[in-house]
């Protein structure tokens, strides 16, 4: 699509007399990014679409207003002006927003354009009959503060998920300050699009494998508006985007209907026999195709839209027998991910940095937890070969009415249609911990009841299920959240048999490194007088998401004598728990575990929470524990004896797990038992590890002669003697 920046003169105030210019060639699209003007709009009498902007504040677009330096709740008015050269006849003009949080009312030249609700969707206004040579645009954006006594958090009215309530955002999930640092604003790009006679608002692409994996077809759905009924030429093209390969094209006559303001849909199929499939990293190459749809008449090109996709098939087998990707069963090892509560902060470079850290941790998937992220995340995941479980933005409780359920279902369907071209998204996830599935809420909220939001959950799940090219997980149940060792039970409870095939949360908190902590907690609050959770000096820690009750009272992590010991103790606890849990769930592969997602990957703001990577992107010890536990070839150590004593035999079981598609032929398994400075026992065993396999290979019994440290090392070597998997287990022998 042409992007002719020279043809559009954008200004922020006053009128500009532009010279007469040649007619603009269409289709064309221009960014309206830049410095706009903004004004507080919480006074209902303030009519921001009128009057001068002399006293208005400059604000960059796109941005969340909080990250632009304006800590604001509620209504903010935006104004912008732009001048156009003469346009060809039959030009259709569309104003396109990629994301406004949360409500948007728009005027062009003081004429209303309409209202939009929802923070993550792309939406557009037809401005053809309102466009002038010089144009004044006004947007009223409302991201309201919800009354904590009557609405927030159990009866929320906005589909924003973790962006307006979560354990990891400023103030935490349940504090009266849990809505601080509002995410509102025109946070994603804005552009003006011109076309002739027809405008395509969305290009929906879905793979079709009904004739087999080697004979895929691409189902193409065009959501369009047209000025009149006519027959035109439509050309579909799919060309390799990140590799050299065959191109596919198809040209045909299509009938457009005069749509008025109501878009119509045109559905076609593009055969792509022997096209390359998209694979996650470590399992193949993430082949991508750039797909375009071009409309032409006897005067030439009318409209063109381009998107990128990949061809892949994902199927969920019954009875927890796994997810099958392109005919191959694949075990899902992931982590929950939120890049930032303020999505304008994240760009391709930052998402790529985060996703590379995920891949380096040996994970193959992320769960985009309780929100829809910025579009660059999905582009990067597609390119890098990282699978995504994509949640809807529903977290805990909402207004319990049919109207809200309909609204949430509509937005969920828009999510699937607007983000579904991404092959990295292999699963849609529904409502996270809906109230009707969360009996723990009964003690917190007097108006909780056992059916609260049940209809909402069902309506949203049904909307997701309309996309049959992905797995649909209807809601994320509390039974799938394995919080042993943090909210209940003890760490070794993670060794017990899992009760669900999918585990969407497990983990523990840990402090970041000292240099990071110093940027979060001021010096005079860094060492509270006691470890009691009600000590007022912990309040600033709690605001930054730290949980002193769980840390000291439940997990019983010792604070130590100084901050270095405190950091070490929390990081060790987190690392021990997540490593032990991840290995346990991998040993239970398909009996019943098919997918696991640790909670959380990264801390999204200056906070102290469950992330194994801090907000400055410095890994904690837990990151390296998961890196070991997620190795494709995993020499896993199952502790049978939990309390070792001198003179008493202790037992561990040794497992070999191969998640890859290839066998490890002629491998050698080697293990040793060590006390400080001495190898007490050593053995090795030749073995071929089949692909997609996991089994116990040995039981090791050892009697320590004295108290002290005990270390068991275990590795897998390939046929050439190269170590392809390495692990260890450390415990303390009591007298």
């Amino acid at each position: 699509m042409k992007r002719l920046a020279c043809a559009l003169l954008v200004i922020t105030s006053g009128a500009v007399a532009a010279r007469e210019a040649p007619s603009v060639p269409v289709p064309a699209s221009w960014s309206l990014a830049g410095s706009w003007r903004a004004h507080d709009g919480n006074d209902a009498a303030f009519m921001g679409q009128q009057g001068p902007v002399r006293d208005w504040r400059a604000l960059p677009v796109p941005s969340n207003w909080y990250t632009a330096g304006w800590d604001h709740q509620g209504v903010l008015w935006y104004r912008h002006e732009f001048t156009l050269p003469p346009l060809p006849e039959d030009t259709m003009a569309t104003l396109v927003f990629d994301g406004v949080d949360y409500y948007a009312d728009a005027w062009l030249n003081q004429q209303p354009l309409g209202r939009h609700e929802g923070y993550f969707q792309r939406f557009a206004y037809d401005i053809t009959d309102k466009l002038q040579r010089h144009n004044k645009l006004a947007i009223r954006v409302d991201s309201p503060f919800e009354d904590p006594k009557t609405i927030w958090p159990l009866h929320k009215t906005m589909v924003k998920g973790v962006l307006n309530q979560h354990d990891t955002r400023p103030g935490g999930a349940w504090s009266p300050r849990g809505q601080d640092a509002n995410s509102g604003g025109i946070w994603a790009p804005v552009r003006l699009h011109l076309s002739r006679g027809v405008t395509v608002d969305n290009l929906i692409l879905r793979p079709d494998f009904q004739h087999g994996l080697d004979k895929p077809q691409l189902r193409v759905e065009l959501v369009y508006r047209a000025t009149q009924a006519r027959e035109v030429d439509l050309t579909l093209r799919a060309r390799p985007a990140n590799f050299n390969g065959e191109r596919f094209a198809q040209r045909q006559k299509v009938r457009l209907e005069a749509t008025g303001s109501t878009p119509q849909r045109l559905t076609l199929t593009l055969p792509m026999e022997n096209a390359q499939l998209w694979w996650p990293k470590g399992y193949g190459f993430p082949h991508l195709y750039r797909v375009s749809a071009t409309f032409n008449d006897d005067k030439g090109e009318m409209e063109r839209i381009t998107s990128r996709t990949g061809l892949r098939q994902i199927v969920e087998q019954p009875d927890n027998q796994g997810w099958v990707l392109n005919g191959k069963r694949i075990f899902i090892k992931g982590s929950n991910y939120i890049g930032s509560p303020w999505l304008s902060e994240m760009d391709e470079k930052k998402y790529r940095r985060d996703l590379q850290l995920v891949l380096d941790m040996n994970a193959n998937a992320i769960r985009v937890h309780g929100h829809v992220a910025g579009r660059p995340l999905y582009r990067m995941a597609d390119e890098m070969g990282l699978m995504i479980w994509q949640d809807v933005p529903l977290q805990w409780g909402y207004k319990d009415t049919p109207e809200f359920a309909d609204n949430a279902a509509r937005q969920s369907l828009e999510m699937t249609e607007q983000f579904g071209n991404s092959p990295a998204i292999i699963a849609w996830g529904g409502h996270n911990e809906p109230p009707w599935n969360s009996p723990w809420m009964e003690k917190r909220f007097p108006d909780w009841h056992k059916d609260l939001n049940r209809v909402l959950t069902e309506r949203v799940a049904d909307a997701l299920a309309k996309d049959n090219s992905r797995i649909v997980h209807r809601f994320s149940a509390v039974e799938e959240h394995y919080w042993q060792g943090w909210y209940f039970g003890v760490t070794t409870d993670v060794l017990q048999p899992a009760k669900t095939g999918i585990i969407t949360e497990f983990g523990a908190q840990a402090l970041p490194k000292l240099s990071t902590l110093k940027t979060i907690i001021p010096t005079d609050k860094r060492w509270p007088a006691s470890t009691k959770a009600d000590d007022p000096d912990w309040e600033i820690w709690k605001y930054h998401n730290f949980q002193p009750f769980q840390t000291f009272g439940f997990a019983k992590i010792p604070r130590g004598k100084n901050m270095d010991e405190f950091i070490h103790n929390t990081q060790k606890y987190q690392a021990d728990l997540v490593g032990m849990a991840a290995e346990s769930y991998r040993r239970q592969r398909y009996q019943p575990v098919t997918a696991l997602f640790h909670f959380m990957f990264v801390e999204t703001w200056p906070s102290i929470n469950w992330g194994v990577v801090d907000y400055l992107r410095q890994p904690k010890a837990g990151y390296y524990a998961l890196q070991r536990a997620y190795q494709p070839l995993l020499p896993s150590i199952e502790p049978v004896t939990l309390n070792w004593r001198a003179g008493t035999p202790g037992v561990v079981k040794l497992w070999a797990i191969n998640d890859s598609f290839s066998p490890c032929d002629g491998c050698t398994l080697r293990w040793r038992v060590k006390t400080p400075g001495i190898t007490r026992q050593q053995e090795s065993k030749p073995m071929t590890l089949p692909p997609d396999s996991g089994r116990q290979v040995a039981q090791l019994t050892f009697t320590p002669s004295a108290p002290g440290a005990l270390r068991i090392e275990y590795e897998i070597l390939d046929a050439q003697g190269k170590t392809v998997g390495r692990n260890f287990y450390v415990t303390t022998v009591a007298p």
Side-chain angles (χ1 to χ4, degrees):
M1 188 171 294
K2 301 180 181 70
R3 298 188 178 275
L4 306 177
C6 60
L8 180 66
L9 180 61
V10 177
I11 59 176
T12 57
S13 63
V16 171
R19 294 181 180 179
E20 288 295 321
S23 294
V24 177
V26 294
S29 187
W30 298 279
S31 169
L32 295 181
S35 181
W36 291 31
R37 310 297 290 184
H39 195 287
D40 189 327
N42 282 326
D43 181 351
F46 182 75
M47 301 301 290
Q49 75 273 32
Q50 302 172 356
V53 293
R54 287 188 297 272
D55 60 340
W56 289 42
R57 175 175 169 178
L59 198 68
V61 170
S63 70
N64 298 97
W65 54 53
Y66 179 78
T67 57
W70 199 333
D71 193 356
H72 181 77
Q73 305 262 12
V75 177
L76 201 67
W77 280 91
Y78 290 78
R79 290 272 291 273
H80 197 55
E81 300 183 14
F82 58 93
T83 297
L84 286 172
L87 301 177
E89 292 184 7
D90 202 20
T91 295
M92 297 180 69
T94 304
L95 184 63
V96 184
F97 292 83
D98 275 359
V100 178
D101 186 349
Y102 176 74
Y103 299 100
D105 295 274
W107 289 259
L108 183 65
N109 301 321
Q110 299 192 25
Q111 298 183 67
L113 300 178
R115 175 171 240 230
H116 180 266
E117 176 183 352
Y119 83 87
F120 63 86
Q121 302 96 321
R122 175 178 291 149
F123 63 97
Y125 297 116
D126 184 349
I127 59 173
T128 303
D129 61 352
K130 299 175 179 64
L131 201 62
Q132 301 174 4
R133 180 147 169 73
H134 181 68
N135 298 276
K136 296 182 178 182
L137 177 63
I139 312 293
R140 181 184 185 272
V141 178
D142 187 9
S143 181
F145 177 83
E146 297 187 311
D147 185 354
K149 295 180 180 179
T150 59
I151 299 175
W152 188 93
L154 190 61
H155 307 289
K156 300 186 295 291
T157 63
M158 294 180 288
V159 183
K160 290 180 64 168
V162 302
L163 299 190
N164 77 328
Q165 189 198 5
H166 199 243
D167 315 74
T168 66
R169 74 175 317 281
W174 312 108
S175 136
R177 298 184 64 189
Q179 298 178 76
D180 281 8
N182 190 288
S183 61
I186 304 176
W187 65 269
V190 185
R191 68 185 186 277
L192 176 65
H193 178 69
L194 303 177
S195 59
R196 184 171 56 82
V198 58
T199 296
V200 179
D201 292 320
N202 197 13
L203 173 61
I204 302 170
L205 306 171
R206 297 293 183 271
D208 183 342
F209 294 100
Q210 61 178 313
H211 300 300
L213 289 172
D214 60 339
K215 295 181 180 179
Q217 300 180 105
L218 190 63
R219 288 187 283 114
V220 180
E221 190 169 8
L222 295 156
V223 182
Y224 74 92
R225 291 172 285 117
T227 56
Q228 58 181 292
R230 66 175 90 177
E231 189 176 73
V232 299
D233 291 323
L234 172 62
T235 303
L236 297 176
R237 293 185 177 89
R239 59 180 178 84
N242 61 346
F243 68 102
N244 293 320
E246 184 179 356
R247 300 184 177 197
F248 304 88
Q250 177 176 281
R251 184 175 179 180
Q252 63 190 95
K253 295 283 188 182
V254 295
R255 173 79 179 177
L256 299 179
E257 301 298 332
T259 60
S261 60
T262 304
Q264 298 290 314
R265 294 188 178 226
L266 188 63
T267 303
L268 308 101
T269 299
L270 177 64
M272 297 180 66
E273 187 171 348
N274 296 319
Q276 298 296 312
L277 302 181
W278 183 92
W279 291 95
K281 185 176 181 181
Y283 302 89
F285 187 78
H287 298 97
L288 295 169
Y289 287 89
R290 191 166 301 281
V291 180
S292 64
T294 306
F295 290 89
N296 286 273
D297 63 6
D298 54 2
K299 296 180 181 179
E301 189 172 322
M302 305 167 68
E303 169 69 311
R304 181 168 68 252
I305 187 170
T306 301
S307 184
R308 197 178 65 175
T309 195
L311 305 176
R312 61 100 192 91
Q313 182 188 63
I314 185 76
V315 177
E316 184 175 21
Q317 297 190 115
D319 302 322
N320 296 319
Q321 289 307 297
W323 296 4
V324 176
L325 182 79
N326 299 336
K328 299 276 192 177
R329 188 168 69 169
I330 190 166
F331 189 83
I332 307 298
K333 305 168 294 188
S335 189
N336 284 262
Y337 177 78
I338 306 169
S340 172
W342 310 286
L343 296 179
S344 66
E345 282 194 321
M346 301 298 293
D347 56 19
E348 287 191 354
K349 182 178 180 181
K350 290 179 179 178
Y351 279 129
R352 180 177 287 277
R353 169 203 62 192
D354 284 359
L355 299 192
Q356 190 60 57
L357 279 168
V358 172
L359 290 168
D360 290 345
M361 194 178 72
N362 292 318
N364 57 19
I366 55 172
R367 176 190 177 199
V368 180
H369 181 91
H371 77 299
V372 180
R375 294 175 189 273
L377 169 70
Y378 306 96
R379 293 197 294 268
M380 292 300 96
D382 290 345
E383 291 178 12
M384 299 172 74
L386 184 67
M387 294 179 288
I388 291 177
W389 166 309
Q390 176 60 57
D391 278 353
V392 296
L394 292 173
Q395 176 78 22
W396 295 315
Y398 291 88
K399 186 177 182 180
D400 199 30
T401 65
E403 292 77 16
F404 184 83
D406 289 345
N407 177 20
R410 171 188 63 81
Q411 294 199 42
S412 299
L413 184 60
E414 290 172 346
M415 177 188 75
T416 66
E417 292 193 340
Q418 292 194 20
F419 292 81
N421 292 357
S422 167
I425 300 175
I426 60 168
W428 300 119
H431 195 168
N432 189 49
E433 289 192 6
W436 61 268
N437 177 248
S438 304
W440 57 267
M441 289 187 180
E442 183 176 9
K443 296 180 180 179
R444 185 180 288 272
F445 302 109
D447 55 345
W448 175 91
H449 60 84
K450 63 182 179 61
D451 290 318
L452 185 61
N453 288 162
R454 189 182 293 272
V455 171
L456 167 64
T457 302
E458 290 299 313
R459 292 279 288 109
V460 165
D462 289 345
L464 298 177
K466 292 181 180 180
D467 180 3
N468 61 12
S469 68
R470 290 173 171 85
I471 292 166
V472 173
H473 196 67
R474 294 184 67 85
F475 65 97
S476 187
V478 293
E479 293 83 4
E480 299 165 358
H481 299 170
Y482 285 46
W483 284 106
Q484 296 95 325
W486 193 251
Y487 291 121
F488 55 85
V490 295
T491 55
T492 52
D493 287 346
V494 302
L495 299 172
Q496 299 301 313
K499 296 180 180 179
T500 61
I502 293 174
I503 299 170
T504 48
E505 294 181 16
F506 66 94
Q509 289 195 345
L511 272 62
K513 62 191 298 185
L514 183 58
S515 59
T516 301
L517 187 67
K518 287 179 177 179
T519 69
I520 302 171
I521 305 297
T523 304
D524 62 333
K525 299 293 184 182
R526 212 167 285 157
W527 196 260
S530 74
T531 58
K532 295 180 179 179
D534 58 358
D535 186 323
D537 281 349
W538 288 114
E539 288 305 310
I540 189 170
W541 289 69
K542 293 178 185 177
Y543 183 84
H544 290 269
N545 307 142
F546 181 68
Q547 294 182 332
F549 175 77
Q550 281 74 22
T551 299
F552 304 121
F554 197 87
K556 301 189 184 307
I557 301 172
R559 183 161 60 158
K561 299 177 182 178
N562 53 51
M563 188 58 71
D564 287 335
E565 289 187 9
F566 189 14
I567 292 169
H568 169 80
N569 292 343
T570 61
Q571 289 204 14
K572 182 179 185 303
Y573 185 89
Q574 182 191 60
D576 288 348
L577 188 149
V578 300
M580 185 185 300
E583 282 199 49
S584 173
Y585 304 144
R586 286 194 67 190
R587 290 192 295 267
Q588 298 179 61
R589 60 197 318 270
Y590 313 121
Q591 296 182 14
V593 180
T594 63
L596 63 148
F597 292 90
H598 154 263
F599 183 98
M600 295 280 300
F601 180 69
V602 66
E603 288 160 352
T604 64
W605 71 293
S607 58
I608 305 159
N609 61 56
W610 297 264
V612 293
V613 176
D614 71 31
Y615 86 98
L616 294 177
R617 273 50 184 186
Q618 299 296 312
K620 304 177 188 178
Y623 175 89
Y624 300 106
L626 284 172
Q627 189 179 59
R628 289 195 305 275
Y630 280 174
Q631 293 174 91
L633 280 166
L634 173 65
S636 181
I637 304 170
E638 178 185 0
V640 177
T641 300
L642 302 179
N643 298 300
W644 289 67
R645 293 189 176 278
T648 302
V651 177
V652 298
K653 294 179 181 179
L654 303 181
W655 292 65
I657 298 170
N658 181 5
D659 278 349
S660 74
F661 294 160
S662 301
C664 186
D665 290 319
C667 282
T668 299
L669 312 183
R670 185 167 66 193
W671 57 89
R672 60 185 69 87
V673 181
K674 302 172 76 172
T675 57
I678 303 174
T679 298
R680 300 288 183 177
Q681 184 175 319
Q682 180 170 306
E683 295 183 54
S684 62
K685 183 176 184 178
M687 183 173 290
T688 291
L689 304 180
D692 185 27
S693 67
R695 66 180 187 271
Q696 182 185 333
V697 295
Q699 179 167 298
L700 172 62
T701 301
F702 175 73
T703 303
S705 59
L710 178 71
R711 180 183 175 96
I712 299 171
E713 298 176 349
Y714 177 26
E715 58 187 343
I716 301 175
L717 295 85
D718 65 14
Q720 288 72 45
K722 178 183 177 182
T723 299
V724 291
R726 178 181 283 121
N727 203 358
F728 63 86
Y729 174 73
V730 176
T731 190
T732 300
V733 178

